[in-house]
Amino acid sequence: MTQIKRYVKNAYLIVFSIVFFCGVVTSLALYHEEKQHLMLDENIATEQFITRLKDALAQYGREVAGVAIMIQSMDEPLTNPIFQRASRQLEATEKNNTLRVYFAKYVPHSQRDTYVTQQQGLAGLSAFQITPSEIRKEYLPLTYGYPFFTNPGFDLLSDTYSNRDVIQQIRSYQGFEMSELPTFSSEGVKQKTRSFALRRSIYIPLDNIKNRVTDEFGFYGIVGIIFEVNGLVRQLNVPGIRGVAYRIADITEGSQPPVWFADSRTDININAEHISHWEKGHFNTTDIYYGGRNWRVDTRNSSDLLGLIDWTLILGALILFTLLALLLSWYVRLLSNAYNQTLLLANEKIEIDGLTGLYSRYKIQKELDELIKTCELNANKLVVFFLDLDHFKAINDAFGHETGDKLLVKVAQRLKSVLPDKAIIGRLGGDEFLVLMVLDDKKACVFLERLCREVILQISQSYFVEGGTLNIGCSIGAALYPDYGQDAETLIKNADMAMYEAKSAGRATYYFYDGAMGARISRNMRIETRLRYALQNSLLELHFQPKVDLNTKECVGMEALLRWEDSELGTVSPMEFIPIAEQSGIILMLGEWVFEQTFKHLVIWKEQGVQVPPIAINCSAAQLKRPNFLSHLLSLLDKYQIDPSLLEIEVTESILIEDAKGCAELLRQVSKLGIKLAIDDFGTGYSSLSYLKDLPFHYVKIDQVFIRDFMEDSDHDALTRAIINLSHELNLKVIAEGITRVDQMERLREYGCDIGQGYLFSKALGANSMASDPMIVALNEKQGDSDSFGG
């Protein structure tokens, strides 16, 4: 009732928070939609830009090809007037007035003088010469140009030409080659420009050479187009809803960082000043390959995203919801004030539980508040008992709620009879009861423990209900004031936690809350939270501990072991987090993660050429009970193409006792796949080998609790020897884990134990260190020798 009153009192805050939260969610949704719309616009503009850029380059290629085919198809030598007419018809010259077309003619040394004389006469260039002037076997001088001619006679095959390798390359085939274009000063020094040359070689069929000069394969020359980057991008005329910014770099040579030769954000030479715009926010990157060059093109919105968003609608929605929240919360507060007045009057009449006649939840909590004040004044101690019936739900389910209610009435009567007169008893609801007692005896602790045992004993006696006999038990949690709580809420909460601790201990018992339990519960909750986070963010690791043949000392297997290093909790032992994972249900996700990671490591090791022995994976009872366990295992084997003989599955013996028939059939199917099976931690549970005779197990693992002190403990020594002998009688191999000393190994070998595992041989190895571990290296070398011998 107090909780309800608190909710009603704060209802207006709850309403305001909910409505305001809806406003925030709506605004965020509108923001997300606007952002997605802008990104879609950006992608459309990017596609348009890239398409137009590719089309422009392809158009240059078509024009180069057109001139080359025209020259190739002529029946007479190419003259300057013919070249001028052909070049004048190029489409792109109308779009890009920086475009230039040139023709470089092949000239063997024997024809050099004749060629120079012809050019001096035909072209009207009396000073025409092939430059540089050194004598070479063959030449490729610039012969004609349109619309103007720069550096006539320069030999593209000369050593001084920076793109000589490109020329030699394109000479060997009739494709396109594009390169950055250097210019030449009067002294022949190369100067970088933001220009490119697109070239194609011309070959004359050998049967149609006539009086044209070619090399022995019909190479006649090269035709090319020179274009400036500024002229190229002016052709693109990129449309965009809100505009698009771009930059282009040639990354053919793999320069890092890229050297940008075009940027829509600046008209000056590209340098570090323009980088800041591109370092902020998202941009798209596309690679364009054309003419042997690889260009990187970055595009993005021309303005920052926040500046493009229409904030009017987004902020308007938030303001509207805020006003609505204020109005509704004001109205709800008026209603809650009226309700509280009504509730105060009603509470005076609802002090007795209608079913049991005990104090109601409201009344017992009110009594606790009053007792705390009294104890504080008198320096007395107060105990709060939280009592919960064991398996009460089963009675309700089996006999019905009416029978359950009658049983609760009889339990309440027994509580009144067994508890002291000074005890205040209340029913919180369901099968939960609260008992309050003020303590004034120095021997209170002894008295309280005796009282708890007596209450459990009396409550556990049989009940005669509706002609039948019912049996019920109870678990009790206790918290003391002021030691472990100084207000009602804290005391009830701590007593409740102590009661759950009693149930975890096996029910029908009691537990007193203490500081250590609170710290433990708090740490367990933190471990559960961080473990879920670690699974979601792949913060767990698998390590692999070798298993060694005790006779040959060779590595014959490995066990996958979980390791967890948390940024907040530090190193957390599997002994601590595995039980918490089992209680919380995380063990199912954890088990699937271990299986998948093991398969991935096997694939990686195979790709690295590292041969490993079979890997053993621990399988929890909850995981083995899942209906899809086998189908999931089969899907992993198929997905990663893993040989089943490289796997072993270890299960605890308790699962076989819980569901021996169902597990037997499942394990047989797993064994038929070629996967070996082992019983893990043998000896710590039921310690019976009788159920193994019909099951397809290959190994029995003796738990390290026996191995740790069996050299000194005669009972453990006898049990260890018996397990080994009985296992061998059933044709099972025995694995002893936790071996740390040589004398342990020697005695186990004397008893006939087959395989050992522990720090004596090796700690668990990280996946990355597998290839360098001496045991694995020795295994690979032996396997290599065996393969070589067999070959």
Side-chain angles (χ1 to χ4, degrees):
M1 190 66 70
T2 302
Q3 195 74 4
I4 294 174
K5 184 178 178 181
R6 185 181 297 115
Y7 285 147
V8 171
K9 182 179 179 181
N10 298 322
Y12 73 99
L13 293 176
I14 296 173
V15 170
F16 177 84
S17 300
I18 292 174
V19 178
F20 182 75
F21 176 75
C22 291
V24 172
V25 171
T26 302
S27 297
L28 289 175
L30 291 172
Y31 169 79
H32 178 72
E33 183 179 355
E34 178 73 1
K35 182 179 177 182
Q36 293 297 109
H37 181 65
L38 290 172
M39 293 181 68
L40 179 61
D41 289 349
E42 179 181 343
N43 291 336
I44 293 173
T46 293
E47 291 177 5
Q48 292 175 340
F49 181 83
I50 296 300
T51 299
R52 289 174 178 267
L53 181 57
K54 289 180 178 179
D55 288 346
L57 291 174
Q59 179 62 34
Y60 288 167
R62 287 191 292 270
E63 292 166 355
V64 170
V67 175
I69 292 172
M70 181 274 293
I71 296 174
Q72 187 178 17
S73 61
M74 293 174 55
D75 292 331
E76 56 184 341
L78 178 66
T79 64
N80 190 40
I82 296 175
F83 178 79
Q84 296 291 321
R85 284 197 302 272
S87 301
R88 196 174 296 115
Q89 296 175 4
L90 293 181
E91 266 184 54
T93 55
E94 298 177 5
K95 304 175 185 176
N96 184 355
N97 54 18
T98 66
L99 201 70
R100 289 181 290 151
V101 188
Y102 72 88
F103 170 68
K105 177 177 173 59
Y106 171 77
V107 179
H109 180 69
S110 60
Q111 294 289 326
R112 172 177 173 147
D113 294 340
T114 302
Y115 167 77
V116 169
T117 301
Q118 288 176 344
Q119 287 301 107
Q120 290 175 346
L122 293 175
L125 300 173
S126 58
F128 182 89
Q129 292 293 332
I130 296 177
T131 58
S133 60
E134 290 83 359
I135 302 299
R136 290 179 291 282
K137 180 180 177 182
E138 53 187 359
Y139 309 88
L140 192 65
L142 294 172
T143 303
Y144 303 124
Y146 177 87
F148 59 88
F149 202 11
T150 302
N151 211 21
F154 180 77
D155 182 15
L156 301 185
L157 293 179
S158 69
D159 294 337
T160 61
Y161 185 47
S162 62
N163 289 328
R164 182 176 183 275
D165 292 340
V166 177
I167 299 299
Q168 292 285 19
Q169 184 178 357
I170 196 174
R171 177 177 175 178
S172 62
Y173 69 98
Q174 287 185 306
F176 293 108
E177 283 291 340
M178 185 167 64
S179 65
E180 293 179 279
L181 185 70
T183 57
F184 297 84
S185 66
S186 58
E187 290 81 14
V189 178
K190 294 180 287 185
Q191 297 176 328
K192 279 278 186 177
T193 66
R194 294 166 64 190
S195 301
F196 286 83
L198 182 65
R199 314 175 182 85
R200 177 173 170 169
S201 59
I202 302 173
Y203 275 83
I204 306 298
L206 295 177
D207 58 355
N208 191 35
I209 291 179
K210 297 185 179 179
N211 57 347
R212 289 174 287 187
V213 177
T214 70
D215 68 1
E216 58 186 82
F217 300 106
F219 176 65
Y220 186 57
I222 288 177
V223 64
I225 286 181
I226 298 172
F227 61 90
E228 292 183 6
V229 173
N230 289 339
L232 170 66
V233 297
R234 276 200 300 272
Q235 295 183 70
L236 305 182
N237 189 25
V238 181
I241 297 175
R242 290 181 173 87
V244 63
Y246 63 85
R247 63 176 178 176
I248 309 174
D250 189 304
I251 58 173
T252 306
E253 308 300 331
S255 59
Q256 291 294 335
V259 178
W260 305 98
F261 60 75
D263 191 320
S264 61
R265 302 283 297 183
T266 178
D267 293 328
I268 62 173
N269 291 332
I270 308 303
N271 54 39
E273 294 178 6
H274 84 288
I275 298 298
S276 59
H277 172 75
W278 296 96
E279 288 179 343
K280 299 176 182 177
H282 162 81
F283 58 85
N284 300 302
T285 296
T286 307
D287 286 353
I288 296 179
Y289 184 83
Y290 189 80
R293 306 299 295 184
N294 197 10
W295 285 5
R296 169 180 163 178
V297 183
D298 290 348
T299 55
R300 60 166 293 176
N301 278 319
S302 56
S303 301
D304 290 335
L305 186 64
L306 294 178
L308 296 172
I309 290 177
D310 182 5
W311 292 102
T312 304
L313 182 62
I314 297 171
L315 295 178
L318 183 59
I319 293 172
L320 179 62
F321 273 91
T322 303
L323 293 175
L324 181 61
L326 290 170
L327 179 62
L328 288 175
S329 61
W330 173 77
Y331 182 69
V332 170
R333 186 164 190 176
L334 292 178
L335 292 179
S336 65
N337 288 337
Y339 177 79
N340 284 334
Q341 295 298 324
T342 305
L343 192 62
L344 287 174
L345 296 174
N347 282 339
E348 296 177 359
K349 300 178 182 180
I350 309 175
E351 294 187 345
I352 303 299
D353 178 58
L355 178 65
T356 63
L358 302 175
Y359 279 166
S360 66
R361 173 187 287 269
Y362 162 75
K363 179 62 175 177
I364 193 70
Q365 290 180 335
K366 184 178 179 181
E367 288 291 324
L368 179 55
D369 289 332
E370 294 299 325
L371 286 177
I372 289 173
K373 295 177 182 177
T374 303
C375 290
E376 184 179 7
L377 291 174
N378 301 326
N380 288 334
K381 288 199 172 187
L382 167 70
V383 64
V384 176
F385 292 113
F386 196 112
L387 188 148
D388 185 90
L389 300 182
D390 295 334
H391 306 298
F392 180 74
K393 183 178 182 298
I395 291 178
N396 264 342
D397 293 342
F399 301 100
H401 288 276
E402 184 176 351
T403 299
D405 287 347
K406 291 180 179 180
L407 177 60
L408 288 174
V409 172
K410 291 184 176 293
V411 169
Q413 292 170 352
R414 286 209 185 159
L415 277 175
K416 290 179 182 178
S417 66
V418 71
L419 288 169
D421 293 337
K422 63 180 180 179
I424 301 174
I425 312 170
R427 177 173 174 246
L428 296 177
D431 60 337
E432 295 177 342
F433 299 87
L434 202 67
V435 179
L436 314 176
M437 283 177 51
V438 176
L439 305 176
D440 51 16
D441 191 344
K442 294 182 179 179
K443 298 181 179 179
C445 290
V446 176
F447 165 71
L448 291 177
E449 290 187 8
R450 186 168 62 248
L451 180 62
C452 286
R453 287 194 294 269
E454 183 64 22
V455 169
I456 292 172
L457 177 63
Q458 293 299 323
I459 295 297
S460 301
Q461 300 297 321
S462 299
Y463 296 84
F464 189 73
V465 180
E466 292 189 340
T469 301
L470 297 177
N471 291 290
I472 196 75
C474 73
S475 300
I476 301 175
L480 290 173
Y481 167 89
D483 306 69
Y484 300 111
Q486 298 183 2
D487 59 80
E489 184 176 356
T490 303
L491 284 168
I492 294 174
K493 180 190 71 174
N494 290 344
D496 188 16
M497 284 196 291
M499 182 273 296
Y500 274 103
E501 191 77 8
K503 284 188 176 291
S504 300
R507 302 178 189 271
T509 187
Y510 60 90
Y511 201 96
F512 281 77
Y513 182 89
D514 57 34
M517 189 188 80
R520 183 170 65 256
I521 292 174
S522 177
R523 177 170 172 81
N524 289 350
M525 292 176 63
R526 190 62 183 154
I527 287 175
E528 179 182 341
T529 301
R530 295 298 298 173
L531 185 56
R532 292 183 189 276
Y533 178 81
L535 262 176
Q536 294 169 357
N537 295 275
S538 301
L539 300 179
L540 296 165
E541 290 185 8
L542 277 184
H543 286 204
F544 302 87
Q545 186 173 38
K547 294 188 287 189
V548 177
D549 188 303
L550 294 182
N551 292 314
T552 64
K553 304 294 177 25
E554 293 178 354
C555 180
V556 294
M558 308 193 85
E559 181 181 3
L561 300 173
L562 269 172
R563 294 293 181 263
W564 180 23
E565 182 76 24
D566 186 72
S567 60
E568 295 183 7
L569 301 173
T571 301
V572 188
S573 168
M575 299 295 290
E576 186 177 15
F577 71 78
I578 291 297
I580 295 172
E582 290 175 340
Q583 293 170 9
S584 61
I586 302 176
I587 194 68
L588 294 174
M589 295 181 291
L590 201 60
E592 291 183 359
W593 184 88
V594 170
F595 267 86
E596 182 123 20
Q597 290 301 309
T598 302
F599 280 47
K600 287 181 179 179
H601 285 312
L602 285 170
V603 171
I604 293 172
W605 292 329
K606 182 178 180 181
E607 291 173 349
Q608 294 174 345
V610 178
Q611 299 186 41
V612 296
I615 306 295
I617 306 173
N618 289 282
C619 188
S620 69
Q623 193 175 1
L624 202 63
K625 288 179 181 179
R626 297 192 77 172
N628 67 339
F629 174 80
L630 184 60
S631 61
H632 182 66
L633 178 60
L634 289 170
S635 67
L636 287 176
L637 288 169
D638 180 64
K639 177 181 177 180
Y640 293 101
Q641 294 296 299
I642 298 298
D643 183 355
S645 66
L646 288 176
L647 297 173
E648 296 174 5
I649 292 180
E650 298 182 359
V651 299
T652 56
E653 56 183 324
S654 60
I655 182 63
L656 305 175
I657 302 301
E658 294 172 17
D659 185 15
K661 185 176 180 181
C663 284
E665 180 57 33
L666 173 62
L667 294 176
R668 288 191 189 98
Q669 295 182 49
V670 172
S671 181
K672 287 179 182 178
L673 296 175
I675 298 175
K676 298 290 179 65
L677 301 172
I679 301 177
D680 192 19
D681 297 337
F682 188 82
T684 60
Y686 295 90
S687 301
S688 172
L689 287 167
S690 61
Y691 53 80
L692 294 179
K693 62 182 184 301
D694 297 322
L695 293 174
F697 282 101
H698 304 86
Y699 304 101
V700 169
K701 291 191 75 173
I702 304 176
D703 189 74
Q704 58 183 323
V705 71
F706 290 96
I707 305 303
R708 186 181 301 120
D709 58 359
F710 87 113
M711 295 293 293
E712 296 80 19
D713 189 321
S714 58
D715 291 339
H716 280 184
D717 180 77
L719 283 171
T720 300
R721 182 167 47 185
I723 291 172
I724 293 172
N725 292 333
L726 288 171
S727 297
H728 285 167
E729 286 293 327
L730 294 171
N731 296 318
L732 298 172
K733 288 190 175 182
V734 180
I735 303 171
E737 55 183 357
I739 302 174
T740 58
R741 295 164 16 206
V742 174
D743 58 343
Q744 293 173 336
M745 178 191 69
E746 294 297 339
R747 180 170 293 186
L748 286 167
R749 187 165 57 182
E750 177 186 336
Y751 289 167
C753 184
D754 305 284
I755 299 169
Q757 182 179 346
Y759 283 166
L760 177 64
F761 308 108
S762 174
K763 65 176 183 179
L765 307 172
N768 294 332
S769 63
M770 194 69 68
S772 60
D773 181 72
M775 283 192 177
I776 303 302
V777 171
L779 180 67
N780 280 260
E781 289 176 350
K782 180 179 179 181
Q783 185 65 39
D785 294 342
S786 174
D787 294 344
S788 178
F789 179 79

